[in-house]
Protein backbone atom coordinates (compact mmCIF):
# COMPACT_ATOMS: atom_id res chain seq x y z
CA UNK A 1 0.00 0.00 0.00
CA UNK A 2 1.41 3.37 -1.03
CA UNK A 3 1.08 6.50 1.13
CA UNK A 4 -1.39 7.88 -1.40
CA UNK A 5 -3.59 4.77 -1.22
CA UNK A 6 -3.34 4.89 2.56
CA UNK A 7 -4.56 8.51 2.67
CA UNK A 8 -7.47 7.67 0.40
CA UNK A 9 -8.55 4.69 2.48
CA UNK A 10 -8.11 6.02 6.03
CA UNK A 11 -8.87 9.16 8.00
CA UNK A 12 -6.37 10.74 10.39
CA UNK A 13 -8.50 9.77 13.38
CA UNK A 14 -8.55 6.07 12.38
CA UNK A 15 -6.57 3.69 14.63
CA UNK A 16 -5.45 1.79 11.54
CA UNK A 17 -3.27 -0.85 13.20
CA UNK A 18 -5.76 -1.34 16.03
CA UNK A 19 -8.41 -2.16 13.41
CA UNK A 20 -6.07 -4.80 11.94
CA UNK A 21 -5.66 -6.53 15.31
CA UNK A 22 -9.41 -6.42 15.88
CA UNK A 23 -10.01 -7.98 12.45
CA UNK A 24 -7.64 -10.84 13.27
CA UNK A 25 -9.40 -11.44 16.60
CA UNK A 26 -12.83 -11.35 14.97
CA UNK A 27 -11.81 -14.29 12.76
CA UNK A 28 -11.24 -16.32 15.95
CA UNK A 29 -13.89 -14.95 18.31
CA UNK A 30 -16.54 -13.54 15.98
CA UNK A 31 -18.54 -10.70 17.53
CA UNK A 32 -17.64 -11.69 21.11
CA UNK A 33 -16.70 -8.57 23.05
CA UNK A 34 -13.48 -8.94 25.05
CA UNK A 35 -12.78 -7.34 28.40
CA UNK A 36 -10.44 -4.55 27.39
CA UNK A 37 -8.05 -2.77 29.73
CA UNK A 38 -6.28 0.49 28.88
CA UNK A 39 -2.85 1.44 30.27
CA UNK A 40 -2.73 0.03 33.80
CA UNK A 41 -0.90 3.15 35.04
CA UNK A 42 -3.82 5.23 33.77
CA UNK A 43 -1.78 7.38 31.36
CA UNK A 44 -0.78 6.53 27.80
CA UNK A 45 2.94 6.09 27.19
CA UNK A 46 3.01 8.90 24.61
CA UNK A 47 1.50 11.20 27.25
CA UNK A 48 4.15 10.37 29.84
CA UNK A 49 2.79 7.11 31.25
CA UNK A 50 5.03 4.24 32.32
CA UNK A 51 3.23 1.43 30.46
CA UNK A 52 4.31 1.05 26.80
CA UNK A 53 1.30 -1.11 25.99
CA UNK A 54 -1.76 0.96 25.09
CA UNK A 55 -4.11 -1.77 26.18
CA UNK A 56 -4.87 -5.47 26.37
CA UNK A 57 -7.95 -7.52 25.54
CA UNK A 58 -8.91 -10.66 27.42
CA UNK A 59 -11.15 -13.33 25.93
CA UNK A 60 -12.54 -16.45 27.55
CA UNK A 61 -11.75 -19.43 25.34
CA UNK A 62 -13.28 -22.89 25.71
CA UNK A 63 -10.98 -24.43 23.12
CA UNK A 64 -8.86 -27.38 24.30
CA UNK A 65 -9.21 -26.37 27.98
CA UNK A 66 -11.00 -23.33 29.33
CA UNK A 67 -8.50 -20.47 29.51
CA UNK A 68 -8.00 -16.73 29.32
CA UNK A 69 -6.52 -15.44 26.06
CA UNK A 70 -4.76 -12.09 26.49
CA UNK A 71 -3.64 -9.93 23.55
CA UNK A 72 -1.57 -6.74 23.76
CA UNK A 73 -2.03 -3.55 21.77
CA UNK A 74 1.03 -1.35 21.39
CA UNK A 75 4.04 -3.27 20.12
CA UNK A 76 2.85 -2.63 16.57
CA UNK A 77 1.86 0.70 14.98
CA UNK A 78 -1.71 1.30 16.16
CA UNK A 79 -2.56 4.74 14.86
CA UNK A 80 -2.78 6.63 11.59
CA UNK A 81 0.62 7.37 10.06
CA UNK A 82 0.81 7.62 6.28
CA UNK A 83 4.62 7.64 6.45
CA UNK A 84 4.50 4.09 7.82
CA UNK A 85 2.29 2.79 5.00
CA UNK A 86 3.57 -0.30 3.22
CA UNK A 87 6.41 -0.98 5.66
CA UNK A 88 8.01 -4.40 6.05
CA UNK A 89 7.13 -4.55 9.75
CA UNK A 90 4.64 -2.57 11.79
CA UNK A 91 6.70 -0.81 14.49
CA UNK A 92 8.35 -3.70 16.41
CA UNK A 93 6.57 -6.20 14.19
CA UNK A 94 4.67 -8.13 16.88
CA UNK A 95 2.10 -8.14 19.65
CA UNK A 96 2.23 -10.30 22.77
CA UNK A 97 -0.38 -12.95 23.52
CA UNK A 98 -0.74 -15.26 26.52
CA UNK A 99 -3.07 -18.16 27.26
CA UNK A 100 -3.60 -18.92 30.94
CA UNK A 101 -5.54 -21.67 32.61
CA UNK A 102 -7.58 -20.15 35.49
CA UNK A 103 -5.55 -20.01 38.70
CA UNK A 104 -7.17 -20.21 42.13
CA UNK A 105 -5.49 -17.04 43.43
CA UNK A 106 -6.78 -14.94 40.51
CA UNK A 107 -10.17 -13.80 41.73
CA UNK A 108 -10.59 -11.55 38.71
CA UNK A 109 -8.85 -11.18 35.35
CA UNK A 110 -5.11 -11.97 35.62
CA UNK A 111 -3.85 -8.42 35.11
CA UNK A 112 -0.48 -9.51 36.45
CA UNK A 113 0.02 -11.05 33.00
CA UNK A 114 -0.52 -7.62 31.42
CA UNK A 115 2.09 -6.24 33.83
CA UNK A 116 4.48 -8.91 32.53
CA UNK A 117 3.77 -7.80 28.96
CA UNK A 118 4.44 -4.19 29.96
CA UNK A 119 7.74 -5.12 31.60
CA UNK A 120 8.85 -6.92 28.45
CA UNK A 121 7.62 -4.04 26.29
CA UNK A 122 9.59 -1.60 28.44
CA UNK A 123 12.73 -3.64 27.79
CA UNK A 124 12.09 -3.48 24.03
CA UNK A 125 11.41 0.27 24.00
CA UNK A 126 14.44 1.05 26.19
CA UNK A 127 16.96 -1.31 24.59
CA UNK A 128 15.84 -1.26 20.98
CA UNK A 129 16.00 -5.08 20.97
CA UNK A 130 12.90 -7.00 20.00
CA UNK A 131 11.57 -10.51 20.56
CA UNK A 132 11.04 -13.23 17.97
CA UNK A 133 9.77 -16.79 17.79
CA UNK A 134 11.87 -19.34 19.68
CA UNK A 135 13.34 -16.82 22.11
CA UNK A 136 13.25 -17.67 25.80
CA UNK A 137 12.99 -15.32 28.78
CA UNK A 138 13.96 -16.26 32.35
CA UNK A 139 11.68 -14.55 34.87
CA UNK A 140 14.21 -14.86 37.73
CA UNK A 141 11.48 -16.35 39.88
CA UNK A 142 7.81 -17.33 39.55
CA UNK A 143 6.17 -15.62 36.56
CA UNK A 144 3.33 -14.69 38.93
CA UNK A 145 5.00 -12.97 41.86
CA UNK A 146 4.61 -14.43 45.35
CA UNK A 147 3.19 -17.66 43.94
CA UNK A 148 4.12 -21.26 44.60
CA UNK A 149 4.67 -22.41 41.02
CA UNK A 150 7.39 -24.14 39.06
CA UNK A 151 6.72 -21.88 36.05
CA UNK A 152 9.71 -19.52 36.10
CA UNK A 153 10.35 -18.57 32.47
CA UNK A 154 8.76 -18.09 29.08
CA UNK A 155 9.38 -19.32 25.58
CA UNK A 156 7.93 -17.41 22.62
CA UNK A 157 5.90 -19.17 19.95
CA UNK A 158 3.65 -17.96 17.17
CA UNK A 159 0.10 -17.89 18.54
CA UNK A 160 -1.55 -21.08 17.18
CA UNK A 161 -4.76 -19.27 16.18
CA UNK A 162 -3.70 -15.70 15.41
CA UNK A 163 -0.41 -16.41 13.68
CA UNK A 164 0.93 -13.59 11.54
CA UNK A 165 -0.95 -10.85 9.69
CA UNK A 166 -0.24 -8.16 7.13
CA UNK A 167 -1.41 -4.68 8.11
CA UNK A 168 -1.28 -1.35 6.24
CA UNK A 169 1.86 -0.58 8.29
CA UNK A 170 3.54 -3.96 7.68
CA UNK A 171 3.74 -7.42 9.18
CA UNK A 172 2.62 -8.23 12.73
CA UNK A 173 3.36 -11.57 14.42
CA UNK A 174 1.32 -12.56 17.47
CA UNK A 175 4.03 -13.88 19.79
CA UNK A 176 2.60 -16.07 22.53
CA UNK A 177 4.28 -16.16 25.92
CA UNK A 178 4.37 -19.79 27.03
CA UNK A 179 5.28 -20.57 30.63
CA UNK A 180 7.93 -23.23 31.22
CA UNK A 181 9.19 -24.90 34.37
CA UNK A 182 12.52 -24.29 36.04
CA UNK A 183 13.84 -27.68 34.89
CA UNK A 184 12.87 -26.84 31.30
CA UNK A 185 14.64 -23.50 31.68
CA UNK A 186 17.78 -25.26 32.96
CA UNK A 187 17.65 -27.50 29.89
CA UNK A 188 17.60 -24.42 27.63
CA UNK A 189 20.37 -22.73 29.57
CA UNK A 190 22.64 -25.70 28.84
CA UNK A 191 22.05 -25.22 25.11
CA UNK A 192 20.56 -21.73 24.57
CA UNK A 193 19.77 -21.96 20.86
CA UNK A 194 16.60 -21.27 18.88
CA UNK A 195 16.73 -24.89 17.71
CA UNK A 196 16.56 -26.11 21.31
CA UNK A 197 13.71 -23.73 22.11
CA UNK A 198 11.79 -24.86 19.01
CA UNK A 199 12.27 -28.50 20.05
CA UNK A 200 10.89 -27.77 23.53
CA UNK A 201 7.88 -25.92 22.07
CA UNK A 202 7.15 -28.81 19.72
CA UNK A 203 7.34 -31.20 22.65
CA UNK A 204 4.90 -29.06 24.67
CA UNK A 205 2.49 -28.97 21.72
CA UNK A 206 2.04 -32.76 21.76
CA UNK A 207 -0.27 -32.60 24.79
CA UNK A 208 -1.00 -28.88 24.66
CA UNK A 209 -1.61 -27.70 21.07
CA UNK A 210 -2.69 -24.20 22.10
CA UNK A 211 0.31 -23.87 24.44
CA UNK A 212 -1.84 -22.86 27.41
CA UNK A 213 0.16 -21.94 30.51
CA UNK A 214 -0.86 -23.77 33.68
CA UNK A 215 0.74 -22.41 36.86
CA UNK A 216 0.06 -25.75 38.53
CA UNK A 217 2.07 -27.71 35.98
CA UNK A 218 5.01 -29.65 37.41
CA UNK A 219 8.26 -30.66 35.77
Amino acid sequence: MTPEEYKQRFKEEDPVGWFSIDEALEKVYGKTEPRHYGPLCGIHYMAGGTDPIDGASIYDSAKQDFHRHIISYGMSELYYDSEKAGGEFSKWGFEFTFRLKPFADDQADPLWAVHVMNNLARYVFNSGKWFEENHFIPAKGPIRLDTQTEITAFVLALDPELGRIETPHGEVSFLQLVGITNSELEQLMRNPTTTEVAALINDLRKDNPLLITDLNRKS
Side-chain angles (χ1 to χ4, degrees), residues 75-129:
M75 301 307 296
S76 60
E77 196 68 53
L78 297 178
Y79 306 109
Y80 181 99
D81 190 339
S82 60
E83 294 182 2
K84 304 291 178 60
E88 182 178 3
F89 298 103
S90 177
K91 202 172 181 175
W92 297 106
F94 69 91
E95 292 290 349
F96 291 113
T97 78
F98 186 51
R99 296 173 187 269
L100 180 69
K101 193 170 182 178
F103 185 64
D105 290 349
D106 288 329
Q107 299 302 313
D109 279 331
L111 296 186
W112 61 266
V114 182
H115 281 293
V116 169
M117 290 178 175
N118 269 304
N119 287 336
L120 296 176
R122 204 170 289 116
Y123 164 80
V124 173
F125 278 71
N126 291 338
S127 70
K129 300 177 181 178

Side-chain angles (χ1 to χ4, degrees), residues 4-64:
E4 291 72 25
E5 292 170 333
Y6 187 97
K7 291 174 184 177
Q8 290 174 3
R9 180 175 174 185
F10 302 109
K11 301 175 183 177
E12 290 190 5
E13 62 269 23
D14 287 342
V16 178
W18 197 297
F19 286 162
S20 296
I21 297 172
D22 285 349
E23 287 172 6
L25 287 165
E26 187 173 336
K27 291 177 181 177
V28 176
Y29 290 106
K31 297 299 183 181
T32 300
E33 286 292 326
R35 297 179 297 282
H36 188 81
Y37 297 88
L40 298 183
C41 70
I43 304 172
H44 281 266
Y45 197 65
M46 290 186 294
T50 58
D51 293 346
I53 292 174
D54 283 33
S57 284
I58 302 180
Y59 290 85
D60 292 335
S61 175
K63 296 176 183 177
Q64 186 179 309

